[in-house]
Amino acid sequence: MDIDCLPLEKTGYFSKLICDYVAKNTKLKPLYNRFPDVNGFKGQIEEKGKHFTQAQRDVLHSSMQNQYKNTDTSKGTAANIDLLKEKNTFTIVTGHQLNLFTGPLYFLYKIISTINLTKQLKKEYPDSNFVPIYWMATEDHDFDEINYFNFKGLKFQWNKEASGAVGHLPTKGLEEVFTLYSKTIGDSNNAKRLKNLFENAYLKHDNLTNATRFLTNEIFKDYGLVIVDGDDVDLKKTLIPYMKKDIFEQTAFKKVSETIKDIEEISSDYPVQVNPREINYFYLKDGIRERIIESKEKYLVNETTISFTKEGLVEEMNAHPERFSPNVIARPLYQEVILPNLCYIGGGGEIAYWLELKAAFEAMNVPFPILLVRNSALIITEKQAEKLERMNISKSDIFLKQNSLINKKIREISNIDIDFSPQKKLLEEQFKDLYVLTEKTDKSFLGAVKAQEVKQKKGLDALEKRLLQAQKRKLKDHVVRMTELQNEIFPNQSLQERQLNFSEFYLAYGEDLVPMLFEALNPLDLSFTVITQK
């Protein structure tokens, strides 16, 4: 296995905001607490240790024991759950939706980044303990985002009517998906293991939360991963004071709105990731998850007939905190209130919206975690690596836009040098002399000279383009092979990790896949990882 690293900005797949963040652009410093490097964690440990109480630890430990009571818990995971009671234990968290059969490949990268970081931190800070956490987004209601996975160009989709929190959904109907998937993947030993994993997760568990917990635990239990379900009455009791600040004082709305204005002033190239609402909580009950809206001194549950007075809403919070579900703005705060957390690991889009939240955390007197962009990776098979080598395509070349890649390689392999840069430079030199002559004679002709220069440059560009097209036709076979290979490595001209399911690679590598990724991914190396199998 060969491992190469590329700067994120060289891949063309990351926003300017994220590229600037990993490059430590000083303009972004007000948006985060500490930078994700080894030294940054020292101060984070001290700050979180002062804020996180033993009472919070006891609630967390009790809830985790309860959540794991029906799970085959490994010794490593059980030990980590017990460590949560200790004042010198801290967590590293990643979160993800309950995508069917893990969804895109980066689900694995998120969790592996998290586990690897806990190992690195233990070496650097041996007096503390570090527990990797996967936060299941059980309360999301975007069923269409999670009800499918892709496999070898096919989309395996769970078709059903769904509403409310996806974690509550019964797994009925997944037998059909399992049957189709089983017929597709063959009967190799690796295929049989995948079938068993799917069947045991989705056909032997009653809802999507329990199925996802089983699946994730099976993949990562040997690494001590602890899986947290925030849809928990005891955990939400600790959130009640923060719910009240959000709903009745609109603290998050005010602070996040101010931060968004600050971000827009820093750069127009930083688009707003999420906008806050006046109330950032849903009401969760009986198959519904709808926004709470204030109207005429009452609190209404959107799209329902449910309503509360202020006093009634407070009473409902105290009696049934589990019925209040944080949205994308409030959920990060919930996580940091109930966990002794140091760092959140997420994708570019996630880190972008976390960068909007620091002021809201400060107003709530909750330490803001370190933000780490998860590892991104590209796996190149041995066969693909051989093809790249034969066509003399480098690791950086394959990230070029397809037209740019073709043009670059056609120039390299063509027996005609189709590069008019020397001619353009000569043209510019000639026009310099013309500008000098015009200045001496009649300056009113400067515009005409400039227009002529632009016209001739355009003519050269057009001729260069036509000759390149002619060469492409002559070298059509090479162009086709390059295009097919790049499309194979970047399905739908997107990052592999956003399109493919882990099972494609499990078929090839089996039980070696996850250890291979653990070896290749370094969470504090803020670059893109290219893994080439030899």
Side-chain angles (χ1 to χ4, degrees), residues 349-458:
E350 290 176 282
I351 299 304
Y353 76 71
W354 272 86
L355 288 169
E356 299 175 10
L357 304 179
K358 184 187 172 193
F361 272 70
E362 290 171 346
M364 300 278 196
N365 196 31
V366 176
F368 194 59
I370 289 173
L371 303 178
L372 177 60
V373 182
R374 66 165 173 83
N375 284 127
S376 282
L378 175 68
I379 301 173
I380 297 176
T381 66
E382 185 175 4
K383 186 179 290 185
Q384 289 168 341
E386 290 171 355
K387 289 180 182 178
L388 288 171
E389 191 172 349
R390 282 200 300 270
M391 287 188 271
N392 196 30
I393 299 174
S394 70
K395 302 289 170 52
S396 57
D397 283 344
I398 57 175
F399 284 88
L400 292 170
K401 297 299 181 187
Q402 198 156 89
N403 197 52
S404 298
L405 172 66
I406 292 169
N407 286 346
K408 179 180 180 183
K409 302 314 291 184
I410 289 300
R411 283 191 172 100
E412 287 178 5
I413 64 175
S414 175
N415 55 4
I416 305 171
D417 186 14
I418 308 175
D419 182 0
F420 284 8
S421 297
Q423 286 82 358
K424 291 172 189 174
K425 189 174 181 181
L426 180 61
L427 188 67
E428 288 171 358
E429 292 295 327
Q430 290 173 334
F431 271 92
K432 280 182 185 177
D433 294 338
L434 281 174
Y435 285 125
V436 171
L437 180 62
T438 306
E439 285 272 358
K440 292 178 179 178
T441 52
D442 189 341
K443 292 182 180 180
S444 66
F445 282 96
L446 283 171
V449 175
K450 180 64 178 175
Q452 189 62 227
E453 181 185 11
V454 170
K455 181 179 179 181
Q456 291 196 30
K457 280 184 176 179
K458 283 183 177 179

Side-chain angles (χ1 to χ4, degrees), residues 15-22 28 31 263 269-271 352 355:
S15 70
K16 179 171 173 52
L17 175 63
I18 294 304
C19 291
D20 286 352
Y21 175 63
V22 301
L28 296 176
L31 304 180
I263 292 172
D269 293 324
Y270 300 161
L355 288 169

